[in-house]
Amino acid sequence: MTFSAQNSGVNSERRLLVTGGAGFIGANFVHYWCAQYPHDRVLVLDALTYAGNRQTLASLDAHPQFRFVQGDICDRPLIDALLQEEAIDTMVHFAAESHVDRSILGPGAFVQTNVVGTFTLLEAFRQHWLSRDRSADLRFHHVSTDEVYGSLEPADPAFSETTPYAPNSPYSASKAGSDHLVRAYHHTYGMPTTITNCSNNYGPYHFPEKLIPLMCINILMGKPLPVYGDGQNVRDWLYVQDHCSAIDAVLKSGKVGETYNVGGNNEVKNLDLVHLLCELMNELAPDLPVRPAQELITFVKDRPGHDRRYAINSTKLQTELGWTPSVTVEEGLRQTVSWFLSNEAWWKPLLSAEYQAYYQKVYA
Ligand code: NAD
Ligand code: DAU
């Protein structure tokens, strides 16, 4: 995948610390940033958990401003050292445990990384900011999710920045906790923070456990397509590159202390989405083991506490910062299906014994 270099000239030569940059959205963001702003320093800190993949960033190893460090966001001495030695001015914090089904199986890691890890980064960044005389040029940007707002009824208006928090899963509760800490660090200490709460992303480098990659890979392997419950749950899908450009807009002109919702205005029922993916695969894949792929659709036990509907109102980001999504869901899904078709070498090694054991636990 390539992003075109269109450096706007604004905010050039920033020094970024990107946590979780070897994961799905973080890696797309790092590729985006290195292409848009080739003179900026981009330091990635990632623990390389099961969801982190060093290969995704391998093509950037020759980039003179790119550096990768394997490490945990809970490791305070490491964070302190990196902030200082790299003279970081901008933290972009993606690192998290991110999968709802895994949070149901084992919530502990979610509290540790999402809450304690974010707290550790905030404390380290606060010291760093104080040592820079509270410079207004520093920024701590926290990447969060629409799931903190809970679940919508069919006729409810979309989530806005003032919707009360009502997280329903251990994952979303841990993200809500991290959001509250970030908010408090601005309110109490005046730290220059911003937050984005984004809807469901999709695109290249998406780990196989999530709905869209899971369905693409299972279609290619002729395996059942497990739809939870009645398949009528709704998600609001955004192509990952549009999430990257939204964070760019917030870093460039967002107001400190503010939250911005990010979404594609693309509400789709899960079952309709799975049918769309089947149609695209029927069209684009030359030799599917089962054709038409729709024959593989299987209804399975529902996810406990499954949120019924998410929808995001991103008017604030669009009107105040001029951001708009650039990829329609039709284009984005077509590109994503094509990407999974052409990149078996990326996803096949991820179907490891650990992944199979996880799969058994959720779907057996
Ligand atoms: P992901 O699971 O694909 O990647 C997470 C990355 O964080 C991995 O590279 C992993 O190795 C790393 N990581 C995990 N624990 C760590 C630790 N303790 N220290 C350092 N690194 C660690 O996640 P994603 O889907 O790319 O999501 C990234 C962020 O965006 C998350 O904060 C998530 O809550 C948020 N978000 C995701 C979506 C979505 O649709 N995927 C939507 C909105 C917001
Ligand atoms: O809304 C943003 C969130 O989107 C992010 O914060 C999370 O990190 C990200 O994982 C995602 O959460 P979801 O739970 O919405 O995504 P997931 O891909 O796991 O599931 C999407 C929908 O599809 C959801 O309603 C559950 C359903 N589903 C999922 C899987 C994996 C199925 O029906 N079958 C499946 O096998």
Side-chain angles (χ1 to χ4, degrees), residues 98 145-147 171 200 211 226 228 235 270 303 306 363:
S98 71
T145 170
D146 60 357
E147 298 201 13
Y171 162 67
N200 287 62
L211 179 74
Y228 294 160
R235 296 293 183 265
N270 290 343
R303 170 186 279 175
H306 195 175
Y363 299 99

Side-chain angles (χ1 to χ4, degrees), residues 23-25 46-47 49 52 72-73 94 98 113 144 171 175 198 201:
F24 163 46
I25 307 173
D46 195 296
T49 67
D72 194 319
I73 58 167
F94 292 93
S98 71
T113 287
S144 193
Y171 162 67
K175 290 297 291 188
C198 189
N201 284 214

Side-chain angles (χ1 to χ4, degrees), residues 248-282:
D248 186 351
V250 172
L251 289 176
K252 206 173 280 166
S253 22
K255 268 177 64 184
V256 297
E258 292 289 316
T259 287
Y260 297 88
N261 279 357
V262 188
N265 211 11
N266 285 312
E267 286 186 59
V268 188
K269 288 181 179 151
N270 290 343
L271 187 58
D272 294 340
L273 180 65
V274 174
H275 274 280
L276 261 168
L277 293 170
C278 288
E279 279 162 28
L280 283 165
M281 280 289 184
N282 291 336

Side-chain angles (χ1 to χ4, degrees), residues 147-209:
E147 298 201 13
V148 296
Y149 298 120
S151 182
L152 294 168
E153 294 299 325
D156 285 347
F159 301 130
S160 77
E161 289 80 0
T162 55
T163 302
Y165 273 33
N168 288 319
S169 71
Y171 162 67
S172 53
S174 65
K175 290 297 291 188
S178 65
D179 293 10
H180 290 322
L181 283 168
V182 175
R183 182 182 181 281
Y185 270 65
H186 173 73
H187 188 81
T188 304
Y189 304 114
M191 223 169 84
T193 62
T194 40
I195 302 178
T196 40
N197 291 86
C198 189
S199 63
N200 287 62
N201 284 214
Y202 67 99
Y205 306 124
H206 208 173
F207 192 81
E209 67 195 354

Side-chain angles (χ1 to χ4, degrees), residues 24 49-52 96-103 105 110 205-215 217-218 226 228 303 340 346-347 350-351 354-355 358-359 362-363:
F24 163 46
T49 67
Y50 79 93
E97 289 293 335
S98 71
H99 192 37
V100 174
D101 292 319
R102 289 197 192 241
S103 83
L105 293 172
F110 287 73
Y205 306 124
H206 208 173
F207 192 81
E209 67 195 354
K210 307 281 168 61
L211 179 74
I212 290 182
L214 186 143
M215 294 296 164
I217 291 169
N218 283 15
Y228 294 160
R303 170 186 279 175
F340 276 93
W346 181 85
W347 56 260
L350 304 178
L351 311 181
E354 191 282 333
Y355 182 73
Y358 156 79
Y359 200 94
V362 177
Y363 299 99

